[in-house]
Structure formats: C-alpha cells, structure tokens
Amino acid sequence: MTAGAHPTRMLDLAAGWPAGTAGTTTALTGLVGDPDDQAPPAPKRKPTRSVAPAGSRSTRGWPGPGGGRVGYLDAPTMWRATTVQACGLWPFSAGSGAPMSGVPIGQHLFTGATVCGDPISWFTRARYISNPSLFMLGMPGLGKSTLINRMAVGLAATGVVPLVLGDLKPDYADTVRALGGQVIPIGRGVGGINVLDPGAMGLAAERIGGRAGKALAAETHGRVLNMVAALLTIVRGRALDDHEQSVLSACLRHLREHTPPGRPPLLPDLLRVLEEGPDRVRAVTLDRGQETRYRDAVDPLHRSLLGILDGALGDTFGAATSTRIDPDAPAVCIDISRIGEADTQLTAAAMLAAWSDGLGTVAAAHALADAGLAPRRWFFTILDELWRPLRAASGIVDRIDALTRLNRSLGLGDAKITHTLKDADALGTDADRAKARGFVERAGIVACAGLPAAEMEELGRVIGLSRREIDLVSSWSSPPGWASTGANEEPPGRGRFLIKVGGRPGIPIRVSITDTERRLHDTNQRWTQNRYAAEQAAERAAARTAAFEAEAELGNLVTRSEFASPAGEPATGDPGWTR
C-alpha cells in the first residue's frame, strides 16, 4: 500500500476460514465505512476459530463466525401494535413516524400504523400546532361528520366538553345522549331561547361577586346587547344605527335594575320600556323634554321589535328559555334540525342565539375556574355544514371569524366542516368572502376527504399540497365502477382523509368505525327503515294474521250452523250437533 493511499478494509465475509482462501480482495474491498471501521488492519496472525468478544459489533454488523459486515441495511417496513398483540416480538418491534398523541382516529393508509390526533391534544400536549382548530373539506357522504364524531367521543373521555352549537341535521344528538350529555331542541313549538336571559354568565357573576363579578356582569350586558342587535339586523336586513344601539343599551340597563331577582326579562318587557320612556332612555335620545322628538327616535326600533314578536321569530325568542345549558354537562347539543331549510331567518337567529348562549357558558366556566370556585374545563365546539350558517346572516361570519382568532384565549378548540372552498364564494359581500377563506388559512389542522382535482389545485395554493397529495385525494372523489354489484359497496374515498399540518407532508389515514359508532352516527337515517316503521309493519302483519284466523273461525261456525234447525233442535241426519 503506497503512502497517502486510502487504507484497504478487509470485510470479514469468510471468518473462520484460513486467510487468503477467499482471495486477497473482494468486491467490497476499499469501501468507505464508519470512522470506527477505518483503523489500519492488524498484523497477520495464524487464523483461529475463536468467537468474537461480546460488544465488538460495529455500526455495520457483527464480525466473526456467523457474522459479516455490509455497507448498509435497507430500512425495514415498520408496524405498530400493542404489547398484547405483538407480545412475542417484544422488544424487537420498532415505532413509525405517525403521531400518537390524541384520539385514535384511524390507520395510516400505507403503513397500517395507528394515527392519533385532535386539535386540543396537538395544541396542548404534542405542540404540533399553534392554534387548536380544525377545518375539514370533502364531498358529501365520505365520512367527514363521522371523523369529527370520533374526536368528540375521544375528547369527552378525557374530560373535554363537546359543544354542538346548532346541529342542523342532527348528526350529533344521539352521540351526546349516549355520553350522558344535554340535547336542547330549538324550533317552533319545540323550544326557544330568551335572548335577554344572562344565563350562565349572570349566575357566575353573582356567585363570584366583587370586582371580578362586576366585570363579568358588564360582559354579560354586552353579550345580551349584541344578541338583540343581531336579531334586529336579521329582521331589517341591515345593521342598526349608532343611536339605536345606545337606546337599546339604556333599556337593557333599566330592565336589569328593575326586574325582580331570579326572573330574567323578556322581549315584551323591552317593548314596554320603550313605550314608557323612562328618564335614562329619554336622555340618550336627546328629546329635550319633547314627546314628539322621543317618539321619532324610538319608533323605528319599536317597529322592528314588534316585527320580531309578531313575525317568524316571536314563538322562538319571545318567551322564557325552555332549557338552559347545564354548565356541568359532559356534552351539549343544541338541536335546530326541526327548523325548515327554507326558513333562513329563523335558522340564522337560532344559530346566533345558540352560539351566544354556548360561548357565554364557556366564559362563565372559565371565570369560575379563575376565581377558584370550579375546576378548569376545556371545550370542543363543532360547526357542521358551515355553508348554511355562513349564508344565513352576515353576523355569523363575524362571530366565527372572532372565534378562530381568539379560541386559544377562550380555552376551546373548534372543528368546522364544509364541502369546498367555493362555499365561501357564495357569500354576499367581499368582506364576508375574505373572512371565510381566512378560516382555512388560520386552521391548525386541515383535513381533506375526496375532492375534485380543480378544488385540490385551489386548496393547494392556500395550504401547500404536493402533486402526489393532490392526485391521491382527487382519486378518492371518484365513484365506484359501473360493474359493481351495488350490494353494500361504498365509494372509494369513504373513510379516507389527508391530514395536513403546516408545511409537513400530509398523513393519509383510513377510518374504521365500530358498530356502536355506526348506530349512533347514521347520517342516512331517512333512507333506511327505522324502528317505528318496523314496529308498524309487525303490527300490520299481526293484524292480518288475526283477521285471517277470525275469518277462518267464522267460516267454521257458519258451516256448523247449516246442520242446526231454526228452533235449535238437531236436524235430520245431524250426528248430534247442538247450539
């Protein structure tokens, strides 16, 4: 070997045989190995069959008899299993790169590894995201609500409270009942919400007392004022004037001071205050003691309130709250599914009232925890079918926009579900469209079910998607082949999702649900026979059977009466029949 040349490395592929038997060089002679393999060769000595001492393995393999060193080893396919399932392989199983923090949501589509995740766990424990929110897009019928339902069940098991503030189908009512939670129906003849009721925030302010209680009471006043103004905006189709909000605020303060404790005021009470015109209210109208000026200032507001009470919203918002939200409930669902799809005004008002009441309950829970009067609780809000509330009223866009910016300080995670980004393009104003598109940009997690290629291209410009990810998700939106038999077959993309977090590569998963989840979360109930229909069918079948039996028995009686005389005596040839 010449000076300066790289030292040759003899790979011990023929350990145990006399030196030179395998030749002086091999195909692997001179390969560059690890630094600990670059030492000069040891002096030649008489070969022996001794076993290599323990611990002499390098990073390239074991030397000695039965060993052999190689250049590198291909990484094996990695799988994950519990110690019960793979107890015979322990401790030789290796983990994969799939996240394991949070609710088990499915299996990796390529490796089969279990994938766990939810917005709250990835924000609080894993620190994968900086905003505890999830935005999901996908074509109808591919399992979007099913995945969110899985997250809600898993989070409820850890103490997080799922809040479905406006279930439009409903998709989550049965699950909330199974969790021991509270389902509150809202609609005409079903239940209503008193928008003047301070609810949980008012009760918490009284319980806390002191400066903190006064601050919470002031926040309660602002929340009630905003809710009444939102209702009036829905009825009018435009926002209130500034002086009208001042009049409303003065009326609400007067009501709070003159209403007996334990009895929340109602909208008819607000009308009565406007009609009477106390000094506090007249002062903000600048009437200067003239009745005409006062009436000119409050009459438009008076007419709008009459429009609420005597119009489409009066039955739902003009009386006392039918059921208050229980702050200690493990889950809450406000069911507005009985409101017709064409009734956009009532849908918008119910959604706004549900969000106002629900977020007020969240604020009250955190205020009690800050005062040391209750344990700290986290909340998980679900807004399914996002396109419907967004189109119902402009105020809902602003409320959801504020939620996506402040949910970290509010102590809640959220999940929003819609079909495509084009749902935002259908909004009325450019400002609302820009706010709706910001929901995707600010989301900590974006989950994609099957979407067309054009939609995926547009989404890729917002969150960054590779060509392979676009093609994969687009393939999930294809329908089954024409040659399918149609017997219990599902679309190719059902239960498949791509989880994207920032610039990380997407995680494709497959969700498999249990029989219990399938029973509790069936979004196609209108296309299947329910228990009532089965019971009715069984009753009709039993009635037909009874009718046939009665008819047969009647036929037997008629046949036997033919052998009896009118006087009841046995006829001639009668073998002894009697009456």
Side-chain angles (χ1 to χ4, degrees), residues 426-516:
L427 299 180
T429 64
D430 293 337
D432 285 348
R433 286 190 287 270
K435 294 172 187 175
R437 284 186 171 271
F439 298 161
V440 184
E441 298 173 354
R442 290 191 299 274
I445 305 172
V446 177
C448 305
L451 286 169
E455 182 69 21
M456 289 300 298
E457 295 282 355
E458 185 176 359
L459 183 61
R461 290 190 287 270
V462 178
I463 63 174
L465 294 169
S466 67
R467 171 52 53 184
R468 184 178 180 183
E469 291 172 342
I470 292 175
D471 295 340
L472 177 65
V473 178
S474 300
S475 67
W476 295 340
S477 63
S478 303
W482 292 111
S484 60
T485 62
N488 296 325
E489 294 188 5
E490 296 183 347
R494 178 167 293 176
R496 288 166 171 78
F497 302 91
L498 181 71
I499 309 298
K500 286 288 292 184
V501 176
R504 295 184 177 93
I507 305 174
I509 66 171
R510 179 179 64 253
V511 180
S512 299
I513 62 176
T514 63
D515 291 338
T516 301

Side-chain angles (χ1 to χ4, degrees), residues 23 47 53 99 128 149 187 208 216-217 244 306 320 429 437 484 518:
Y128 294 150
N149 193 72
I208 294 172
L216 188 60
E244 291 180 318
L306 285 174
T429 64
R437 284 186 171 271
S484 60
R518 187 175 291 106

Side-chain angles (χ1 to χ4, degrees), residues 168 337-345 347 387-388:
L168 291 158
S337 61
R338 303 190 187 186
I339 301 175
E341 293 186 3
D343 200 343
T344 56
Q345 273 196 352
T347 299
W387 61 274
R388 279 194 63 186

Side-chain angles (χ1 to χ4, degrees), residues 240-258:
L240 297 183
D241 297 331
D242 53 354
H243 72 277
E244 291 180 318
Q245 292 200 19
S246 300
V247 172
L248 271 181
S249 179
C251 290
L252 292 174
R253 293 184 187 278
H254 178 83
L255 275 176
R256 189 173 70 246
E257 295 174 359
H258 294 81

Side-chain angles (χ1 to χ4, degrees), residues 165-418:
L165 303 177
D167 198 349
L168 291 158
K169 288 187 176 179
D171 283 342
Y172 304 91
D174 290 339
T175 300
V176 169
R177 290 191 187 96
L179 293 172
Q182 186 182 26
V183 178
I184 303 174
I186 299 296
R188 294 188 182 93
V190 178
I193 296 179
N194 177 18
V195 294
L196 303 186
D197 188 351
M201 291 186 68
L203 297 177
E206 295 178 2
R207 184 179 176 186
I208 294 172
R211 182 177 300 178
K214 291 181 179 179
L216 188 60
E219 185 179 350
T220 304
H221 172 79
R223 187 177 296 274
V224 171
L225 175 62
N226 291 335
M227 188 60 229
V228 177
L231 284 182
L232 293 170
T233 300
I234 292 173
V235 172
R236 288 185 175 183
R238 63 176 181 85
L240 297 183
D241 297 331
D242 53 354
H243 72 277
E244 291 180 318
Q245 292 200 19
S246 300
V247 172
L248 271 181
S249 179
C251 290
L252 292 174
R253 293 184 187 278
H254 178 83
L255 275 176
R256 189 173 70 246
E257 295 174 359
H258 294 81
T259 302
R263 177 192 173 275
L266 303 174
L267 282 180
D269 298 328
L270 185 61
L271 276 175
R272 179 178 49 80
V273 173
L274 279 177
E275 181 67 28
E276 295 175 354
D279 293 340
R280 169 179 284 183
V281 179
R282 290 178 179 271
V284 298
T285 62
L286 301 179
D287 67 331
R288 297 183 174 89
Q290 301 180 18
E291 184 69 16
T292 304
R293 290 175 60 90
Y294 174 74
R295 294 303 168 188
D296 291 341
V298 301
D299 279 352
L301 191 60
H302 199 161
R303 282 193 295 267
S304 298
L305 286 172
L306 285 174
I308 293 178
L309 290 174
D310 298 335
L313 309 182
D315 294 340
T316 307
F317 302 102
T321 300
S322 56
T323 305
R324 282 186 172 183
I325 295 179
D326 182 6
D328 297 326
V332 176
C333 173
I334 299 182
D335 180 7
I336 62 172
S337 61
R338 303 190 187 186
I339 301 175
E341 293 186 3
D343 200 343
T344 56
Q345 273 196 352
L346 185 55
T347 299
M351 290 289 296
L352 283 172
W355 277 86
S356 178
D357 199 11
L359 296 183
T361 303
V362 172
H366 289 310
L368 290 173
D370 293 339
L373 300 176
R376 179 73 65 189
R377 306 179 77 192
W378 295 338
F379 299 86
F380 179 55
T381 59
I382 300 172
L383 182 55
D384 205 345
E385 301 294 338
L386 181 65
W387 61 274
R388 279 194 63 186
L390 288 183
R391 297 179 188 179
S394 177
I396 295 182
V397 180
D398 294 330
R399 187 171 295 274
I400 299 174
D401 180 64
L403 177 66
T404 59
R405 299 175 186 272
L406 302 174
N407 52 358
R408 288 184 302 163
S409 60
L410 293 176
L412 57 87
D414 69 271
K416 295 176 286 293
I417 309 172
T418 190

